[in-house]
Amino acid sequence: MSSEDRPPRSRRIQPLWTMLLLAVLYGILLDEVGSLSASVLVDGLIGVLLGLFICSAPASAAVDLLYLDRHGWSRLGSDWADLAWVGLNLLVMIVGCFVTIVGAVRFVG
């Protein structure tokens, strides 16, 4: 695939699916094992940092869409793939916020 056939960096979905997989693995690990380390503070720190990392990809895409791509809004929604990309970004952002909240609760609890 040549560079002109590849979607822009902000429109690729593979990193978004990877972030969702990380969140699911984190949830399964917490459910099965109960603790990732011997310290509750470290468990909370891992959760908060992972949640922020997961939220970083959709946040970066939103900033790119709002500020860097001047005509992004006019092209957005003209295709089902664009709507699916926006929906996936929203889903990843919600999951990332949930992971951050779980980590924060473990951090203070």
Side-chain angles (χ1 to χ4, degrees):
M1 180 183 293
S2 70
S3 63
E4 58 192 36
D5 294 337
R6 201 173 331 148
R9 181 187 64 82
S10 61
R11 296 287 174 102
R12 292 185 297 176
I13 62 170
Q14 183 183 10
L16 297 173
W17 286 112
T18 304
M19 301 295 176
L20 281 177
L21 180 65
L22 281 173
V24 168
L25 289 175
Y26 175 74
I28 289 172
L29 219 70
L30 282 183
D31 189 41
E32 295 295 321
V33 178
S35 178
L36 301 176
S37 68
S39 172
V40 178
L41 292 175
V42 174
D43 284 348
L45 185 64
I46 291 170
V48 169
L49 290 177
L50 181 65
L52 292 175
F53 177 71
I54 290 170
C55 287
S56 69
S60 171
V63 168
D64 287 348
L65 186 66
L66 289 173
Y67 296 110
L68 297 179
D69 190 8
R70 293 176 45 195
H71 303 289
W73 284 111
S74 63
R75 287 192 311 257
L76 197 63
S78 62
D79 189 16
W80 282 106
D82 290 339
L83 295 177
W85 177 77
V86 170
L88 186 60
N89 272 294
L90 186 61
L91 176 67
V92 171
M93 182 65 83
I94 290 170
V95 168
C97 289
F98 182 71
V99 170
T100 304
I101 291 169
V102 168
V105 166
R106 293 182 71 85
F107 189 77
V108 297

